[in-house]
Every structure is written in structure tokens, then in C-alpha cells.
């Protein structure tokens, strides 16, 4: 030891001699001396230390002479060397009888901290940021080891030695000694040293993660860091708040980073150790609250990091005291009115605050609801459901739905929730029903994520809405079932089904039946399966439950009766049939369904008879026979034949007049004949479904019963006295019974043909007899019956109406026979039908061939219409006949004045398109004329049928077809407009996305009926047709209708197509006008040019900043993925392209402006407005863009400035007016002025960011005050306009304070100094 002390003292003397006052960098102590000193200080024997002190004193040295060499060693050298020097320095401070105040210096302490950081950074760099235990650091070392050769080998060995000598235990020792030193020094006297210590120790867990190698070492490292940080909060230190703020600020990055052990350490330290300190130190407690606000403002914007930030904040909030929790919750409520990122974070925080701090929210207390903190949180969250930012709206709705599920389990919380949403009993006028309005708006939001979140919220709200349920909201949910996105449709189905499951309300059942079953034809198979499952659960199971529980004395529930009645609705029945067919094919129809329906029918009959009422007036519950007829096709064995026979006999026995009859055709009702009763009409429909049921179960019937029934049906058909629906049912049932009567298929077909021939022969004879009679009557000139109305009656009219009814039924029966037996011989029937359909033809040649029977179109319209339909059915079965008669159908479609006939002919032509596509293809343009039919039903029918043909590719989108469909977007009928919007926005967008883009410019010319362009004069069709499919005129209504069509097409275009459409408009319309290709003297040419200006200026043609160059239309996540760089790049590219396009099109605008000025055209204003809008984003670059026309530059700059000022002034005026309406002007005189000033000051406080708007509001408020002063001065009399007044001469009154009129002089003086507010723009 003596030799060691001697070496140490000798080196210290050498270092003292080497010190030079001009050399600011001292020499570091050697490695060997460093080890010797460390051994000396670590020895527990005091004798060597005493000898060392004596040796130092003998050489005129002291322990302070060690500080500078050790500090130099901490600042230079390898990492293990600097860390060893740091350990030595701390050991020096901890040595017995050490003069700490002399040995401690801020610079040496800073070197100590730097050495710790440097050692960790060096180690981290060597390990290549590898995780503990992965071996990445070893791999890197091996890689470096293999590189060295020659001189490099020595360096590699040095590095290997450094790595081998570095030990994490040295770092632990340094931190342990640092903790002990903290008890000896007062760092509050050295603020910079304290700050550096906090920052360094806070970074050690981050940098030391790879150094420790295992979790045990890392836990020890973090424990040491925690103990060191706690040492800075010694009681004798005064400024605890600033120290705590520095600690929290250093820990914030770790708390906000991704999940790791580092984050766990930081949260544990703040939530446990710091919270314990805060209980004793008020400054730390205050800093803790401020730290939460700091975390709020530092929280990231991305979804996942933000969620972690919310989780971290809540872990801290949970361990805080109630008072601090209340302060933070109130701050979060204020955040809901702040900037967008704060509002979004507040929405997330409110969810976890309400669910985690129920005691703080007081949702279970009995105090006033509006005073509860939970009320304020819920109200703020509901307000964010209508936020301007779509992402915030979606997030607020989603979080609110989670809160609804959380709070609905407690009665008191549920009452608070109902009241804050406007469903409670004590509601003010503002809140009543406001949640319903929000939900309706959000379910129809333009953003998909918002719509989906709103529907999920509605689903959760079903359990608590009760009487506050809004029917308009149910209607909105039904509309959402037609959303273009699959996820939205699924959410809408779920929400509406929950409502149907929860509330047995007729309106809910009706909306569900009109919305959900229709989705059985959806393209998404999962939605089809969901429809089937829901129909089984909500309809069939309910009917089955009622059918199994009722008996002959029971009363049928009204809910089930209304449900089955709505199923028979014409819009619902087709979808129900499709669903039941799918269920039957999958063997999902149960026997109990058929049994329950039979039980319901029996019970209804028994209840009727128990009240001693006539059985002929009884009708089965609406929908029961319909459902039984559908399920019996797959449940034949579940239907009782005795049940069917009983009701068949009942219908037969109690028909009108003892036979099956039907209502007389419309127009032939009379007083003596009466007509049929409503119960008989219902029986007629039930007979149809009964016959269908019998056909379905005929395979189970005994052969004798089947033969008897077939014979009975044949006789009834041959009477030709049934309604058309009954005829179809009888014919189909007869065919089924005939085929099942004979086992051999060929014999069965022969039997069917024989029956068909027998019926058709009798029908032809009746028709021939009627035509002969009408022909004879026409030749004698005594035809008696013009169109018969209710006022012209008589015996002859009654007789002829019965005869005509029989003929009509016979003609209809022929059509039904052709459908079930296409090979039937109709050679004798076709000439008779031809005679009827040509009876109204004005062509003498046709009349001569057909025979002179007069115009049956006028005298027997029902027969005339039915003849066309039957001829159409015959043409469907025979292409040769169709080729002959299709021109007649087209001619009648164009010339007929009967809407019913035109409607039927459209259906026939649509069937021809499927069966005889090539024959009808050339007539498609003539069929499309029905899209402009005066009858709404014909237009809607045409639109639906053509749309289906287009989807199935029987008709192609070519020629004028697409352009003619455009007018349906602005049809007078709301239903047609909805269908058209769905077609263009969903079907065509997927099937033909480029159709609107390719035809856009042509659509402008067609809609304006413009032929003033040399390149567009060859439009197809006649002049009358082009006028029919145009919206001519320059009036506001015509322009708005055309603009609606243009906007609808633009919304379906991809961003790249919007740019190209912009170019097309400029080159094909604007450039054509400037070059003389488009005649702008023509009124239609002017309309085209004005439309082009409006389109270029509309917002839809401008690419939104968030769309980039992608045409994706899927369900975009409103939270946003991690694609900020790609989005920014896309926006930059789009901006550059658009700027280039504008620069290339500006010369066209300049030339066109000169042309319009030369012609003194009124379109100059539209051109300038268009230029102003497209250049408003480049207003600072107008001088560079418009170089060729300096005057145009000045005009555009002036127009932009004037427009902005006018807009600001109008906004300010509207704001002040709103405040004036909300202020109660009850006090006279000056109180009005004070109220206006108060409203103005409040508005200015909220609009401090917009100087121009605030200034404009000040001007408007001053003007309002001046007007109020004038009104008061005139004592309520209206102030005349200044133009009608002479200039007043104001004179002062010396020695007095009043004018002659008694008005105070200060009032007159204020009026005299009043500014002129009418010309703010020029000033």
C-alpha cells in the first residue's frame, strides 16, 4: 500500500507541474492511478487514508487537487474509463472527513453526468439497438472483430477489450454512490446541475434498456434511478414545484411512447413514488395537475399512440386525490370546445373518465342532475357528435355508444343519460328530442365512419329510448339499409332489427319489412344470410309462437295481425317470397310454421262464428294464406288436406251468387249490379293462395281427390267469370294436378295440351262471337255503348258489361295458357287478337284487313289492353310471330294515350329484350322516350326495367341511352330521383366508372339542346326528341336542374378524371367559343358557355386535399392510417398538376374575355367570377400566372379583395344580428346600446384569431348602436333616408347643455362624428 500511495502522490505532483495557466484543458489521471485510488477509497481500513492525507500534506497537496484530473478523466477516454472516473469522484465525495463543499463543483458534476450518458450511448451503439437476449450486440462485435488486419487489428483488440471490461455493475455502483452523495450536497443552489441530473437520470432507463441484458438487471437499474430522482425532493429544498415540473417534463416522452418496460417504469414512478411525495408537498401536487395538462398537449395525433396517451393519463388520474380529479375533469370538458386535436383527445378521455371515476362523476347521487360533473361530460360528448371534423364526430358517436352500454345497467345512471339526451321527463325546449335530431343527421352523414358509428349508437340506445323513440329516426335507419357500403348496411340491419325486436310497434314493423327483406337480393352473401336469419327469428318464430299458444277462445294479438297484413304489401311480398324460397331450399322451414298458420286461420274462423256473425262476411287474417301458400311448397306434409278441403268448399259455397266471381272491370260499376263486397274481394285473393297451396300439396293428395279437383278447376276456368289473379291460380293448379295425375312425363304433357286446347278453343269462340257481334253492330250504325260512366246506366249497359267482362277474362285466360304451355296452337286466336289491337288504327288498309268493328280502344278499353298483353305473351313464345308484331308494339307505345296500356307495353318490351334481344335492340331509343312520359308510374316503371336490363347486359350503355337517363336525376317524382341517384352513385360507379367522364361534355350540349357547335351538330334523333330530353333555358330553375346533374356526375369521378374533365371543358367549350367553333350569339351556345363557367367554378370539380390521386371509394377509416407522407406527397403532386393546368388554360380565358368584351356579352360577369374562384388559391401568384393581360390582373385582384370584404362583413352582420335576437331589450334608452356592445364584446372575445372579422364586427356593431341612438333621439319615429334630408346646421348653445329641440348635445355630437358605414369596402 505504501508503494501505491507513493505512486499516486508522485503522479499528482507531476500533474501539478504540468498545469499551465494558459492551458484550459487539464491532464486526466492515468488508468493505473485511477485504479489505485479506487482501491484506496474502497478499503475500510482508516490507516491508509490517514497516511495518504499525510503524504499529500507533506507535498503541499490536498484532496481538491484530485478534482481537476478526475474531471478530465470523466470527459475523455473510453467509456469504461470515464465511468470508472465517475465512480472515483463519487467515492472521493463520500470518503470520511471529505470536504464536500470544496470538492463538489458544478463542472465536475456535469462531467460526471456526461460520462454516464456517454457510456450508455457507446454501449447502445455497439449493441446495434438490439433487444436484451437477442445476441445482436455479440453479432456486431464478431463482425467488427473479423475486419481488422495489420494496424487495424490492434484497434479491434482495443475495442474488444473495452467491451470486455465494461460491466453494468459499475453503472449500478455509480448510481448507488450518487444516491448517497445527494444527501451531502444541496443541488437547489445549483439549478443547472439539478436540471442536468434530472434529465440524465430520466434518460438512463431509455438508454440502459439494451445494456442490462435481462429484466432483473433492468429492474435494479430503474429502482436506482427512482431513488436518485426522489432525493431531489428533500424537505429543506424550497422550490419543489419547479423541481417536480422538471422531473415530469423529462419523464413525459417515456410515458407517451409505445408499450415497453420504459413506459411501465415512468408510469410506476409517477403514480407511486411521486404521488407519495405529492401528499406531503403542495408544490409537487400542483405540478402533478399541471403535468396532466402537459401530457394532454403533447399527446400524439395518430390513433394508436393517442390511445396509449389516454391510458397513461388515466393511470395517473386514478391515483390522484378527488379534488385534483375534479379539476382535471373540468379541464377536459373545456377541451371539448378547443382546437380539433384537443377535442378529439377530450372525446377519448371522457369515455375513460366516466367509466373509471363514477364517484367523481356523481352519476348515482340524488342531487340536481344538471349540476353533476357526469352531466357536463356527457353533454360535451354529445355536442362533439356534431363536430365539424368527421373523425371527431365518428369517435364521439363510438365512445357515446360505449358509455350507453356502460351506464344502462344502473337505474340512476340510465335516468341521467336519458335526461341529458332529451328523453327524460324534465326537459327544456333546447334539449327536447335533440339527440334524435343528431342521430338522424349522423345516420345520413357524408362520411362512412360517422354513419356506421351513429347506427351502432342507435343500436345501443334501443334499451333506454322508450317513449322518446322517434319515427323519423326509424325511417332514417331504413334508408341506411340501402347504403353503398356493406359495413353500413350491416349496421343498419342490426339497428333496425334491434328496434323491431325491442318495440312491438306498427311503424317499426312496417319500416323493417320495407327495408330488411329487400336486401335478400344484395350482392353480399353475408347480408342475404342475415336477412334469412332475421326473418326466421322476427317473423316466422313470432307467428309460430302465437299459433301454438292460441286456442278457439283466444284473441289474436294485434301486433301479429298487423305484421302479417304488411307482409302482403305489394312492395314487401316479392322479397318475402324470395326469402321463403331460399329457406325452403336450405331445409330451414319447420313444420311448426305451417301448423301455426293453419291454427291462426282456424282460430279466426272460430272467433267469428262464436259471435254469431255470417260466415260469408268472414275473412282470414291478411297474410295468413299468403304465407301458407309459400311455406307449403316445402312443407307439403305439414298441411292438412281436410283443412284445405273445408276452406275450398267454404269459398265455393259462399261466393257471390253461389259462384266464384270478381269485381267488375273499372268503369262498369252500376247501381243495380252493385259490385262485389270487400269480404268477397279478400276471398278472391285468399282463393288464389288456397289454390297455390293445393297445388303445392297435390303430390300428397289421393288420386281420386286430385282427379275430382282437376275436373272442377277445368269447369271453373271454362266459365270465364273469374278475376285475372284467380285465372292464373286456377290454370297453374290445373297444370300441376294434370302432371301429377299421370306418372309418365310425356303423357302428362299430352294431358296438359289437351286441356289447354279445350279451354283455348272455347275462349276463341267467345272472342270470335263478340267480334262478329261488334262488327255487325258497327255496320248497322247502331253501336250503343260509348265509354260508359257511372251516370249512364241501363239494362243494355249491364248486359254488355257482363258480356265484355267474360270476353276480357277469356282473352286473359288465353295468355295464361300460353305461359304454361308455349307449344299450344294459337293459329285461330292470333287473327282475332290482331283485329282487336288494330281496331283503333287510322290506316284504311289495316282497317280493311281487320274488318270494320269500330274502335275498341274507345268502346272497350279493358279488352283492348288485355288483347295487347295476350299478344305479347304469344310473341314471347314464338320468335317468328314476335318479328312480325314487335313494330306494332313500338308504334302503340309511342301513340297510345292510355297510361295503363303504355305501362304494360313497357313491361312487354322489357320481356322482349330478354327473350328476343336482337329484334328489340334497334327500338331501345324509342322505348327510352317513356322516361319522359307524363305519367309518373310509366316513368318509374321504364326506369326500373331499363336499369335491370342494363345491369344484366341485355341493353348496352351506348348512343343516347346514358344521356337520356340523366334527366331522371331531376325528375319531378322523389321516388324516381332516389332511384336515379342510387343507379348513378352505386351501380354505375362500380359497373361503368368511366361512363360519366366520357360523356360529360356531350351531356352539356344535349341538356341545353345546343346545335351551335360545329363538332356537335350531328346529334342523334329528331329535333322533337332532342327537345324532349333537354332542359333548355337560361332561367334560374333550368340552370339549377342542369347543375344538379353535372354535380352528380362529378361526384362519381376519380380525382385524375376531375383534372381531365377540367381540361376538356376548357379545350372543347371555352376554346371552341374563343375560336368561333361555338356560336355564342345563339341562346343555346350562351347557355352551354355559362354552364361551363359554373362547372369550372364549382367545388365538386376541385380535388379535395385528402383525396390524393386515388379513386378508392371504400370505407375509409376516419382515424387515418399511418400514411401521412403518402398523403402529403399526393397533395403536392395534385397541387402541382392543377397549377400547371391553370397556367395552361389562362390564355384561353384571356382570349375569351376579349371576345366577350367585343360583343358586350353579359357572360363577362360569369367569366370573371369563374376566374376569381379558380385563382383564389393562387392569389399571391396572379401576377406570374396572368402575364399577358395586366388589366385582367388588376380586375381579378380587386374582385377577390371586394369579395372577401363583403363575405367578412356579411358574416359579422349575421353574428351581431343573432346576438341581438338573443338579447332581451326590455329597458329603454341606453340599455339597448349596452346590450349591443355586450354582444359585440362577447363575439370579439371568441374571434380574436380573425382580425378582419373582428374589425368588421366592430363596424357593424357601431352602426347598430348609431341607429339605435337615432331611433331614441327621434322618440321612436323612423329616421328618413339621408338623401331626403337637407344638410343640418348644428349650432352650439353657449352657456347651455341642450339644443333647441331639447336633445342633449352629447347625443348630437356623437351623431355628427358618426362614420359612414355604407362604403366600408372603398374605405
Amino acid at each position: 500500500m505504501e508503494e501505491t500511495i507513493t505512486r499516486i502522490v508522485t503522479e499528482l505532483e507531476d500533474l501539478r507541474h504540468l498545469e499551465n495557466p494558459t492551458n484550459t484543458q487539464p491532464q486526466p489521471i492515468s488508468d493505473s492511478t485511477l485504479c489505485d485510488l479506487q482501491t484506496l477509497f474502497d478499503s475500510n481500513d482508516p490507516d491508509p487514508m490517514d497516511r495518504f492525507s499525510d503524504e499529500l500534506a507533506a507535498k503541499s497537496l490536498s484532496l481538491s487537487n484530485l478534482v481537476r484530473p478526475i474531471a478530465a478523466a470523466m470527459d475523455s477516454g473510453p467509456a469504461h474509463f470515464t465511468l470508472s472516473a465517475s465512480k472515483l469522484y463519487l467515492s472521493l465525495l463520500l470518503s470520511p472527513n471529505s470536504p464536500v463543499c470544496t470538492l463538489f463543483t458544478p463542472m465536475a458534476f456535469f462531467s460526471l453526468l456526461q460520462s454516464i450518458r456517454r457510456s450508455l450511448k457507446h454501449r447502445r451503439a455497439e449493441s446495434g439497438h438490439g433487444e436484451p437476449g437477442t445476441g445482436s450486440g455479440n453479432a456486431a462485435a464478431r463482425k467488427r472483430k473479423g475486419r481488422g488486419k495489420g494496424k487495424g487489428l490492434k484497434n479491434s483488440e482495443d475495442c474488444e477489450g473495452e467491451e470486455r471490461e465494461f460491466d453494468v455493475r459499475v453503472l449500478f455502483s455509480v448510481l448507488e454512490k450518487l444516491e448517497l452523495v445527494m444527501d451531502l450536497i444541496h443541488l437547489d443552489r445549483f439549478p443547472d446541475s439539478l436540471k442536468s441530473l434530472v434529465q440524465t437520470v430520466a434518460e438512463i432507463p431509455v438508454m440502459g434498456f439494451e445494456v442490462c441484458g435481462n429484466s432483473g438487471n433492468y429492474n435494479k437499474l430503474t429502482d436506482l434511478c427512482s431513488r436518485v430522482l426522489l432525493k431531489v425532493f428533500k424537505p429543506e429544498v424550497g422550490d419543489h414545484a419547479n423541481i417536480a415540473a422538471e422531473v415530469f417534463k423529462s419523464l413525459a416522452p417515456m410515458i407517451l411512447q409505445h408499450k415497453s418496460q420504459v413506459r411501465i417504469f415512468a408510469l410506476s414512478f409517477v403514480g407511486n413514488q411521486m404521488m407519495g411525495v405529492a401528499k406531503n408537498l403542495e408544490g409537487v401536487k400542483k405540478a402533478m395537475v399541471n403535468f396532466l395538462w402537459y401530457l394532454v398537449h403533447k399527446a400524439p395525433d395518430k390513433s394508436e399512440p393517442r390511445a396509449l396517451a389516454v391510458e397513461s393519463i388515466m393511470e395517473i388520474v386514478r391515483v390522484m386525490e378527488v379534488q385534483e380529479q375534479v379539476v382535471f375533469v373540468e379541464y377536459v370538458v373545456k377541451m371539448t370546445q378547443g382546437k380539433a386535436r384537443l377535442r378529439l383527445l377530450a372525446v377519448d378521455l371522457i369515455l375513460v373518465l366516466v367509466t373509471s371515476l363514477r364517484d367523481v362523476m356523481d352519476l348515482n347521487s340524488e342531487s340536481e342532475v344538471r349540476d353533476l360533473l357526469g352531466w357536463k361530460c356527457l353533454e360535451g360528448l354529445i355536442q362533439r357528435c356534431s363536430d365539424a371534423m368527421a373523425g371527431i364526430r365518428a369517435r364521439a358517436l363510438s365512445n357515446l355508444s360505449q358509455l350507453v352500454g356502460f351506464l344502462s345497467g344502473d337505474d340512476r345512471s340510465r335516468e341521467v343519460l336519458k335526461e341529458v339526451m332529451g328523453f327524460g321527463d324534465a326537459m327544456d325546449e333546447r334539449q327536447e328530442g335533440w339527440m334524435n335530431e343528431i342521430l338522424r343527421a349522423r345516420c345520413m352523414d357524408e362520411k362512412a365512419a360517422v354513419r356506421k358509428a351513429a347506427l351502432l349508437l342507435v343500436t345501443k340506445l334501443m334499451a333506454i329510448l322508450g317513449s322518446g323513440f322517434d319515427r323519423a329516426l326509424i325511417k332514417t335507419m331504413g334508408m341506411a339499409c340501402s347504403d353503398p357500403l356493406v359495413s353500413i348496411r350491416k349496421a343498419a340491419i342490426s339497428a333496425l332489427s334491434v328496434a323491431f325486436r325491442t318495440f312491438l310497434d306498427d311503424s317499426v314493423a312496417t319500416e323493417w319489412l320495407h327495408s330488411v327483406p329487400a336486401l335478400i337480393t344484395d350482392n353480399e352473401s353475408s347480408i342475404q344470410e342475415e336477412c334469412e336469419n332475421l326473418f326466421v327469428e322476427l317473423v316466422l318464430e313470432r307467428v309460430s309462437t302465437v299459433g301454438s299458444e292460441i286456442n278457439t277462445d283466444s284473441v289474436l294479438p294485434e301486433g301479429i295481425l298487423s305484421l302479417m297484413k304488411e307482409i302482403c304489401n305489394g312492395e314487401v311480398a316479392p322479397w318475402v317470397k324470395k326469402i321463403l324460397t331460399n329457406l325452403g331450399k336450405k331445409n330451414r322451414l319447420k313444420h311448426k310454421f305451417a301448423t301455426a298458420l293453419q291454427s291462426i286461420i282456424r282460430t279466426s274462423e272460430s272467433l267469428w262464428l262464436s259471435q254469431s256473425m255470417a260466415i260469408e262476411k268472414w275473412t282470414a287474417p291478411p297474410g295468413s294464406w299468403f304465407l301458407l301458400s309459400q311455406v307449403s311448397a316445402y312443407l307439403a306434409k305439414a298441411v292438412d288436406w281436410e283443412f284445405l278441403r273445408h276452406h275450398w268448399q267454404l269459398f265455393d259455397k259462399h261466393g257471390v251468387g253461389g259462384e266464384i266471381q270478381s269485381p267488375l272491370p273499372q268503369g262498369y260499376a252500376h247501381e243495380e249490379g252493385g259490385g262485389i263486397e270487400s269480404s268477397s274481394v279478400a276471398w278472391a285473393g285468399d282463393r288464389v293462395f288456397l289454390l297455390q297451396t293445393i297445388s303445392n300439396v297435390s303430390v300428397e293428395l289421393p288420386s281420386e281427390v286430385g282427379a275430382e279437383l282437376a275436373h272442377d278447376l277445368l269447369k271453373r276456368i271454362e266459365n270465364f267469370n273469374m278475376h285475372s289473379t284467380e285465372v292464373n291460380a286456377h290454370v297453374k293448379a290445373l297444370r300441376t294436378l294434370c302432371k301429377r295425375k299421370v306418372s309418365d312425363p310425356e303423357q302428362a304433357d299430352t294431358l296438359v295440351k289437351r286441356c289447354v286446347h279445350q279451354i283455348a278453343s272455347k275462349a276463341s269462340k267467345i272472342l270470335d262471337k263478340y267480334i262478329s257481334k261488334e262488327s255487325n253492330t258497327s255496320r248497322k250504325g247502331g253501336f250503343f255503348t260509348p265509354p260508359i260512366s257511372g251516370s249512364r246506366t241501363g239494362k243494355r249497359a249491364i248486359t254488355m258489361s257482363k258480356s265484355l267482362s267474360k270476353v276480357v277474362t277469356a282473352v286473359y285466360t288465353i295468355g295464361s295458357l300460353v305461359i304454361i304451355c308455349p307449344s299450344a296452337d294459337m293459329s285461330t286466336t292470333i287473327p282475332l287478337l290482331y283485329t282487336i289491337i288494330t281496331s283503333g288504327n287510322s290506316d284504311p288498309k289495316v282497317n280493311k284487313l281487320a274488318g270494320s268493328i269500330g274502335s275498341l280502344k274507345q268502346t272497350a278499353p279493358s279488352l283492348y289492353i288485355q288483347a295487347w298483353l295476350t299478344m305479347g305473351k304469344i310473341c314471347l313464345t314464338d320468335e317468328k310471330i314476335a318479328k312480325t308484331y314487335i313494330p306494332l308494339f313500338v308504334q302503340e307505345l309511342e301513340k297510345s294515350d292510355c297510361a295503363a296500356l303504355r305501362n304494360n307495353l313497357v313491361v312487354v318490351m322489357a320481356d322482349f329484350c330478354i327473350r328476343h334481344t336482337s329484334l328489340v335492340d334497334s327500338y331501345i331509343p324509342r322505348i327510352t322516350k317513356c322516361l319522359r312520359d307524363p305519367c309518373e308510374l310509366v316513368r318509374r316503371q321504364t326506369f326500373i326495367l331499363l336499369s335491370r336490363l342494363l345491369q344484366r347486359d341485355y341493353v348496352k350503355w351506348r348512343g343516347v341511352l346514358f344521356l337520356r337517363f340523366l334527366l331522371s336525376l331531376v325528375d319531378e317524382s322523389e321516388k324516381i330521383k332516389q332511384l336515379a341517384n342510387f343507379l348513378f352513385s352505386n351501380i354505375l360507379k362500380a359497373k361503368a366508372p368511366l361512363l360519366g367522364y366520357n360523356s360529360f361534355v356531350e351531356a352539356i350540349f344535349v341538356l341545353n339542346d345546343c346545335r351551335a357547335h360545329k363538332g356537335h351538330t350531328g346529334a342523334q334523333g329528331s329535333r322533337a326528341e332532342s327537345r324532349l330530353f333537354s332542359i333548355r333555358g337560361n332561367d334560374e330553375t333550368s340552370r339549377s336542374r342542369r347543375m344538379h346533374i353535372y354535380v352528380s356526375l362529378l361526384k362519381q369521378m376519380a380525382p385524375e378524371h376531375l383534372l381531365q374533365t377540367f381540361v376538356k371543358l376548357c379545350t372543347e367549350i371555352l376554346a371552341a367559343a374563343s375560336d368561333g367553333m361555338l356560336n355564342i350569339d345563339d341562346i343555346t351556345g350562351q347557355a352551354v358557355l355559362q354552364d361551363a363557367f359554373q362547372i369550372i367554378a364549382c367545388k365538386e370539380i376541385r380535388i379535395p386535399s385528402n383525396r390524393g390521386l386515388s379513386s378508392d371509394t371504400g370505407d375509409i377509416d376516419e382515424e387515418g392510417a399511418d400514411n401521412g407522407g403518402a398523403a402529403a406527397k399526393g397533395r403536392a403532386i395534385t397541387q402541382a398538376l392543377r397549377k400547371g393546368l391553370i397556367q395552361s388554360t389562362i390564355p384561353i380565358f384571356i382570349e375569351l374575355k376579349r371576345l366577350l368584351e367585343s360583343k358586350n356579352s353579359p357572360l363577362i360577369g360569369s367569366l370573371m367570377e369563374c376566374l376569381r374562384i379558380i385563382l383564389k388559391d393562387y392569389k399571391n401568384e396572379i401576377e406570374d400566372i396572368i402575364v399577358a393581360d395586366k388589366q385582367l390582373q388588376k380586375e381579378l385582384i380587386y374582385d377577390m379583395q371586394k369579395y372577401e370584404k363583403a363575405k367578412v362583413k356579411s358574416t359579422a352582420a349575421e353574428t351581431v344580428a343573432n346576438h341581438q335576437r338573443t338579447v332581451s331589450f326590455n329597458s329603454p334608452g341606453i340599455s339597448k346600446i349596452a346590450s349591443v356592445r355586450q354582444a359585440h364584446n362577447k363575439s370579439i372575445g371568441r374571434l380574436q384569431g380573425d382580425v378582419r372579422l373582428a374589425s368588421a364586427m366592430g363596424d357593424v356593431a357601431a352602426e347598430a348602436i348609431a341607429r339605435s341612438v337615432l331611433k331614441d333621439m327621434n322618440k321612436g319615429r323612423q329616421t328618413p333616408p339621408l338623401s331626403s334630408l337637407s344638410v343640418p346646421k348644428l349650432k352650439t348653445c353657449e352657456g347651455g347643455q341642450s339644443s333647441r329641440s331639447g336633445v342633449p348635445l352629447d347625443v348630437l355630437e356623437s351623431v355628427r362624428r358618426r362614420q359612414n358605414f355604407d362604403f366600408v369596402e372603398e374605405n
Side-chain angles (χ1 to χ4, degrees), residues 1104-1116:
S1105 59
N1106 61 344
R1107 286 178 65 180
L1109 288 174
S1110 172
S1111 59
D1112 182 24
T1113 59
D1115 190 356
I1116 302 173

Side-chain angles (χ1 to χ4, degrees), residues 211-264:
V211 175
C212 295
N214 57 67
S215 59
N217 286 340
Y218 186 74
N219 291 336
K220 184 177 181 180
L221 179 66
T222 56
D223 180 62
L224 289 170
C225 292
S226 301
R227 284 153 46 186
V228 172
L229 288 175
L230 289 176
K231 288 294 183 179
V232 301
F233 296 103
K234 292 186 293 187
E236 61 269 17
V237 179
D239 196 2
H240 294 114
N242 287 335
I243 296 174
E246 194 61 44
V247 172
F248 288 139
K249 185 177 179 181
S250 301
L251 294 174
M254 292 185 281
I255 292 176
L256 295 176
Q257 72 175 350
H258 58 83
K259 288 186 177 181
S260 63
Q261 289 183 327
V262 177
R263 177 174 174 271
I264 295 173

Side-chain angles (χ1 to χ4, degrees), residues 562-812:
S562 60
L563 176 63
M564 292 195 301
K565 182 179 180 180
E566 193 61 32
I567 288 176
C568 291
N569 188 288
E571 297 180 0
V572 178
W575 313 123
V576 174
K577 289 181 181 179
K578 178 69 174 175
I579 292 175
L580 292 174
T581 301
N582 291 356
L583 292 173
K585 292 178 179 179
K586 297 177 182 179
N587 295 323
R588 293 187 58 190
L589 292 177
K590 303 176 183 178
H591 282 248
K592 64 178 182 179
F593 299 155
T595 304
L597 291 169
Q598 295 174 76
S599 177
I600 290 173
I601 296 172
R602 287 195 188 102
T603 303
S604 175
E605 182 183 358
S606 300
L607 290 173
W608 186 271
L609 293 175
S610 65
Q611 299 175 5
S612 301
M613 301 181 71
I615 189 63
E616 60 268 14
K617 295 185 178 296
W618 168 78
T619 57
S624 56
W625 280 112
F626 167 70
L627 287 175
L628 185 60
S629 67
Q630 298 303 315
V631 301
S632 62
Y634 304 95
L635 302 172
K637 294 182 179 180
V639 182
D640 184 13
W641 165 244
E642 293 300 327
F643 167 79
L644 296 178
R645 173 182 287 181
H646 165 71
H647 286 89
W648 176 254
Q649 293 173 353
L650 184 65
F651 288 146
D652 184 18
K653 180 178 179 181
H654 296 286
V656 178
E659 59 180 3
I660 301 175
Q661 294 187 7
S662 62
L664 294 174
Q666 185 177 2
Y668 295 93
H670 48 81
E671 295 177 0
E672 296 181 13
I676 198 163
E677 296 179 357
S678 59
S679 59
S680 297
V681 175
W683 278 28
D686 289 346
R687 279 196 297 269
V688 173
F689 298 129
L690 174 59
L691 280 170
Q692 185 176 345
T693 306
I694 292 173
S695 300
N696 294 335
V697 303
S698 60
V699 69
E700 303 295 332
L701 297 180
S703 57
E704 297 81 4
V705 175
E708 180 183 354
L709 184 59
H711 180 72
D712 188 22
L713 292 177
L714 181 60
K715 294 300 181 185
R716 293 178 186 278
I717 295 172
E718 290 178 346
N719 289 333
F720 303 111
N721 58 357
M722 294 181 293
H723 191 264
S724 58
T725 55
E726 295 182 85
V727 171
N728 275 332
H730 279 70
V731 170
K732 291 178 181 178
L734 178 61
R735 179 191 60 178
T736 303
L737 290 171
C738 289
K739 285 192 172 184
R740 292 180 178 175
K741 183 178 179 181
V742 182
S743 58
D744 185 18
E746 294 184 359
Q747 293 181 2
D749 292 339
T750 303
L751 182 59
V752 171
K753 288 181 181 179
R754 186 162 59 245
C755 292
V756 168
H757 178 71
Q758 180 180 338
I759 298 171
S761 298
K762 290 189 177 182
S764 298
K765 290 179 181 178
I766 293 173
L767 183 58
D768 187 25
K769 182 178 178 181
Y770 180 83
I771 293 176
S772 299
K773 183 178 179 180
E774 291 297 322
S775 179
N776 294 332
T777 305
S778 177
R779 282 197 297 269
K780 293 178 181 178
F783 193 74
F784 177 75
T785 54
I788 301 174
S789 63
S791 60
R792 299 183 60 184
T793 60
K795 293 183 179 180
R796 181 167 181 173
I798 296 172
T799 303
M800 294 188 64
S801 65
K802 290 182 178 180
S803 174
L804 179 60
S805 177
K806 188 172 184 178
V807 174
V808 171
T809 305
V811 173
Y812 184 86

Side-chain angles (χ1 to χ4, degrees), residues 21-94:
T22 60
N23 186 9
T24 58
Q25 186 172 1
Q27 292 294 324
I29 196 170
S30 65
D31 194 0
S32 59
T33 304
L34 187 67
C35 294
D36 292 340
L37 282 170
Q38 189 64 55
T39 303
L40 181 64
F41 285 121
D42 288 343
S43 65
N44 295 325
D45 189 1
D47 293 337
M49 286 298 302
D50 293 339
R51 290 196 299 272
F52 180 60
S53 300
D54 294 340
E55 289 290 334
L56 289 177
K59 300 295 183 180
S60 300
L61 295 172
S62 65
L63 291 176
S64 59
N65 292 101
L66 289 171
V67 175
R68 285 173 61 85
I70 294 175
M74 289 189 291
D75 286 334
S76 61
H80 76 281
F81 178 72
T82 60
L83 198 59
S84 299
S86 301
K87 181 180 177 181
L88 176 62
Y89 178 65
L90 294 173
S91 300
L92 177 63
L93 293 175
L94 293 173

Side-chain angles (χ1 to χ4, degrees), residues 1217-1257:
N1218 291 336
H1219 281 295
Q1220 288 179 345
R1221 284 195 294 269
T1222 59
V1223 176
S1224 176
F1225 294 99
N1226 293 325
S1227 57
I1230 197 66
S1231 62
K1232 298 182 180 180
I1233 301 173
S1235 299
V1236 174
R1237 284 175 177 166
Q1238 183 180 6
H1240 164 247
N1241 293 334
K1242 290 181 179 179
S1243 301
I1244 295 299
R1246 288 197 301 267
L1247 299 170
Q1248 290 178 352
D1250 195 334
V1251 178
R1252 291 181 303 172
L1253 183 56
S1255 176
M1257 286 189 62

Side-chain angles (χ1 to χ4, degrees), residues 475 479 943 968-969 971 973-986:
K475 191 72 175 176
M479 295 172 62
F943 183 89
S968 299
L969 289 167
D971 196 274
S973 170
E974 286 296 328
K975 291 185 178 180
I976 297 178
K977 284 196 286 189
Q978 292 175 4
L979 291 171
N981 285 326
F982 184 80
L983 174 69
F984 283 96
S985 61
N986 295 278

